[in-house]
Amino acid sequence: MTKHSWSLTDGFGLDNLRRIEAPIPVPGPRDVLIEMRAAALNYRDLVVIDGKHGRAVQPPLVPLSDGVGRIAKLGNEVSDLAEGDRVSPCFFLNWPGGAPPVDLVTRRLGGPLDGTLTTHLVVPASAVVQVPAHLSDNEAATLPCAGLTAWSALQEPSPLRSGETVLILGSGGVALMALQLAKAAGARVIMTTSSADRAARLQQMGADMVIDRSVQPEWSRAARKATDGIGCDRVLELGGARTLNDSLKATRPGGVVILIGNVTGNEAPLFLPFVLSKRLTMQSVSVGSKQAFESMNRALAYHRIHPVVGQVFAFDDAPKAFRALDRHEGFGNICVAITGPEADKPGL
Ligand SMILES: NC(=O)c1ccc[n+]([C@@H]2O[C@H](COP(=O)([O-])OP(=O)(O)OC[C@H]3O[C@@H](n4cnc5c(N)ncnc54)[C@H](OP(=O)(O)O)[C@@H]3O)[C@@H](O)[C@H]2O)c1
């Protein structure tokens, strides 16, 4: 048996993403070998492929952080898992819970560590999480980064409360899971998006109000108007440089802005008197810990939440999945079905 992976072999760029083969790795005493069934893409993976994720992320590299599989072999000191368990590896292999460790970013899947676009993955047994049984493999594959980031954004610095108003920017993987979790928590959800078609999909999913920023570029004003001029209790800031100031304007005095994304750029000017006078809390999120992942899974199972899967590509067609993400096609998380159509089979 052979391990098959896609790897950035000779440099960055999609043209350097190549199929490679290697012997199936043997887990160390405290590791598990996962036979991967599905993987999922995030915006971050495009940044990695383009070589813009910082100096620590270098080829050769197997991309992607998100995925799910079944344990094929246990290290001889592992006693709390069993062969056949369906698990996801954590995004950070070194964050069990509590405050993040100082070397957090050195142990990230999909850069700097080899990621989930592979048939076999060895990770520490302490860094895997059993996934909810009601999910298909493709759905479960979206949880480690996209799903958990949404969960953390609604839990920090304190959990979202029923009846609060949350503004979520965009309709990407993080935003869609945040919508589902926020509705399950009893919140009122306002979203922004870029087309009427996407707006209709978000409304079908339960968004209470959707602002199409292509026709209403002053979306922060619309969000304030929808909250009697007060502003939203919490804003999930996924846009970055070009949206941050509007997100601040859309937040109520004393409200919380959760800093998550940077799709429109990394450096944002801030008009400090405005921020200071509103007494805002700005809380950044970095995916989340294993403990948070387990808490999220309990909520997903209880509320029977299914992450939204959009396009699914065969393992052989993985480069097409990156192109689809880059073109911002479709709606929902883009997955790579490593085991083929079986990864779409509904959960229990
Ligand atoms: N901090 C963390 O731990 C963490 C974890 C995961 C992701 N992230 C970051 O979060 C962001 C989103 O990630 P993702 O994987 O969900 O991305 P994604 O699936 O690629 O979605 C990105 C979304 O951004 C929206 N968007 C694009 N331009 C925008 C603009 N000018 N204003 C508002 N929205 C805009 C688009 O939605 P519409 O077309 O519907 O507007 C698009 O669907 C990325 O910057 C990613 O790096 C951070």
Side-chain angles (χ1 to χ4, degrees), residues 300-344:
L300 296 179
Y302 178 72
H303 292 289
R304 305 288 291 182
I305 290 173
H306 291 265
V308 183
V309 171
Q311 296 181 77
V312 178
F313 293 85
F315 188 67
D316 288 346
D317 290 333
K320 290 185 186 166
F322 287 90
R323 288 192 193 100
L325 182 62
D326 198 25
R327 285 195 296 264
H328 190 35
E329 287 178 355
F331 186 84
N333 293 276
I334 295 177
C335 294
V336 175
I338 298 171
T339 51
E342 216 182 285
D344 253 340

Side-chain angles (χ1 to χ4, degrees), residues 30-31 44 53 56-57 61 64-65 89-96 101-115 122-127 286-288:
R30 294 182 192 174
D31 295 336
R44 167 182 187 261
H53 208 279
V57 177
L61 176 74
L64 305 193
S65 59
C90 293
F91 180 86
F92 296 111
L93 300 185
N94 57 347
W95 191 8
V102 286
D103 62 346
L104 182 68
V105 297
T106 63
R107 305 282 293 150
R108 269 187 301 208
L109 290 184
L113 303 179
D114 279 342
V122 168
V123 288
S126 58
S286 194
V287 187

Side-chain angles (χ1 to χ4, degrees), residues 36-40 65-69 86-89 129-148 177 293 296-297 300 305-309 333 335 343-345 347:
M36 297 301 294
R37 298 176 68 82
S65 59
D66 283 7
V68 71
R86 195 168 67 136
V87 295
S88 280
V129 165
Q130 310 235 19
V131 295
H134 73 288
L135 302 181
S136 71
D137 290 330
N138 286 330
E139 289 168 342
T142 69
L143 300 179
C145 177
L148 183 52
M177 180 54 92
F293 197 166
M296 172 183 73
N297 285 349
L300 296 179
I305 290 173
H306 291 265
V308 183
V309 171
N333 293 276
C335 294
D344 253 340
K345 210 168 118 196

